[in-house]
Amino acid sequence: MSNGGPDTLITEEEIHKRVTDFAEQISRDYAGEGEIVLIGILKGAFILLADLSRRLTVSHRVEFMAVSSYGQSSVSTGAVRLIMDLRGDIENKHVLIVEDIVDTGHTLHYLVSLLKTRRPASLRTCALVRKSDRAEVDVEIDYLGFDIPDVWVVGYGLDYAEQYRTLPYIGVLPPETTPSSET
Ligand code: IMP
Ligand code: MG
C-alpha cells in the first residue's frame, strides 16, 4: 500500500540487518589492529555512519569529509571538488571510508586516490548502495550493502534536492518527480 511517500526499494529492516552484518564483519576484520578512523562522506553518509559506528565493537573514531555533489540536479559531471578536508593526519592509521551510494564511482575514486597519498596503514571502503550499471570508473568497495538498478533513490541519508534524507527506508521517487538523467 502506498503511504504517499517514495515507493520502498529497501526496507528499514533490510537496511538495519545489513548494517549490523557490516558492523560484525568490520569488527572481525579489524580485531587486534588498533584504532580505525571512520571517514563519513557528508552529507549522505551521516545516518549510515551513526548506525554503523554505534554497532562496532572495535576501537574507532569518527571523522568527516565533504565533497561536491550534483547540487540540485542529478547529473554527474565526473568532476569532484573537495569542500571539507580532514582535521587530522591519517598517516599509519587504518582508514575506512563510509559512503552512502556509489553511482558513477567518480567520488569514491577521487577520495581513495587522495587519501592514499597520505600513507594510511590501510584504506578500505564501505558503501550502502551501488548502481552497478552506472560505473564509469572502477573502484573497489570492501563492504557493500546493496546493488540497485539505475533509479534515483532517497532516504537513510540520501536526498533529492536536500529532501527525504530522514526517511527510514530507501525509496524511489514517483516518476513525475524522478530527476532526468539527460544533460
Ligand atoms: P558518483 O561520483 O557518481 O559515484 O556519485 C556519488 C554521489 O552522488 C553520492 O555520494 C551521492 O551524493 C550522489 N548520488 C548518486 N546517486 C544518487 C541517488 O540515487 N540518490 C541520492 N544521491 C545520489
Ligand atoms: Mg554523497
Side-chain angles (χ1 to χ4, degrees), residues 41-45 67 69 99-101 107 158:
I41 309 308
L42 295 173
K43 301 174 191 171
V67 289
S69 70
E99 247 294 35
D100 49 0
I101 186 166
T107 303
L158 292 158

Side-chain angles (χ1 to χ4, degrees), residues 34-56:
E35 189 184 62
I36 314 173
V37 182
L38 297 181
I39 302 180
I41 309 308
L42 295 173
K43 301 174 191 171
F46 79 113
I47 293 190
L48 171 62
L49 187 68
D51 283 348
L52 177 65
S53 61
R54 288 178 295 174
R55 286 172 167 90
L56 290 179

Side-chain angles (χ1 to χ4, degrees), residues 107-169:
T107 303
L108 194 57
H109 183 263
Y110 168 85
L111 288 165
V112 167
S113 313
L114 176 68
L115 295 181
K116 258 187 191 161
T117 65
R118 301 180 184 178
R119 305 166 171 277
S122 69
L123 179 60
R124 286 187 186 158
T125 56
C126 169
L128 189 66
V129 286
R130 171 176 65 186
K131 296 181 193 173
S132 32
D133 298 345
R134 297 257 306 159
E136 287 176 12
V137 286
D138 227 10
V139 56
E140 197 172 331
I141 305 176
D142 298 287
Y143 306 97
L144 173 66
F146 305 93
D147 265 314
I148 62 164
D150 180 15
V151 289
W152 194 263
V153 287
V154 293
Y156 200 73
L158 292 158
D159 75 310
Y160 173 58
E162 297 301 326
Q163 302 299 301
Y164 306 108
R165 288 196 198 276
T166 55
L167 270 188
Y169 61 94

